[in-house]
Amino acid sequence: EVQLVETGGGLIQPGGSLRISCTASGFTISSNYMSWVRQAPGKGLEWVSVIYSGGSAYYADSVKGRFTISRDNSKNTVYLQMNRLRADDTAVYHCALGYCSSIRCSANAFDIWGQGTMVTVSS
Amino acid sequence: QSALTQPASVSGSPGQSITISCTGTSSDVGSYNLVSWYQQYPGKAPKLMIYEGSKRPSGVSDRFSGSKSGNTASLTISGLQAEDEADYYCCSYAGSSTWVFGGGTKLTVL
């Protein structure tokens, strides 16, 4: 069964750092497109970052320069290192697997989602 | 990277059809046929319903369909059922390996 499980969320003070993880099972992350999408309490979805199968990484303007996406293929895990955290980073952070048809995989749709991990930035 | 515009809420009676619009710009929705739609129940993870504008993943009911005209994409749900009551989000590729979501639409089945 294809599954994603996020861990590492918690309460962090403004200006602090936190690393959250997304461990995959049922597939290999290095062959796929993996994204982070967040949802602030009572708000909509916001795309945060993607790491391509080739290793290239991209970010939303709101997190560029503060967040870093990476992966450890041996652990089949994707990470999101979050630095200089702000109150408006408070959200549930989901990782998501890019959709794969019978022909190819793509980062243009988010197929499998984890349940998310809550990050609260507050003093 | 401004959010796509969706109506805050739509409603319909069982058996009816409803359409949710998703308006972007010529830099995102208008430039690419890469709009996806997601259904989300309270406290749950989103579920992919439509990708590449009009394609349905395996297992998604054919009551759900997607289309696009200019800078506006649409999700139509036909034969509305009580279980369709949920929040719906659109998402579009916005160029330079970035994506943008809509603000979400709450669907109420009367």
Side-chain angles (χ1 to χ4, degrees), chain B residues 6-22:
Chain B
Q6 298 180 233
S9 63
V10 299
S11 62
S13 299
Q16 288 185 331
S17 294
I18 64 93
T19 297
I20 299 172
S21 61
C22 169

Side-chain angles (χ1 to χ4, degrees), chain A residues 92-122:
Chain A
V92 173
Y93 284 74
H94 297 275
C95 64
L97 167 65
Y99 181 77
C100 289
S101 68
S102 58
I103 301 173
R104 61 183 174 85
C105 293
S106 165
N108 293 313
F110 311 108
D111 188 10
I112 305 298
W113 296 64
Q115 283 301 311
T117 187
M118 183 70 204
V119 173
T120 303
V121 184
S122 175

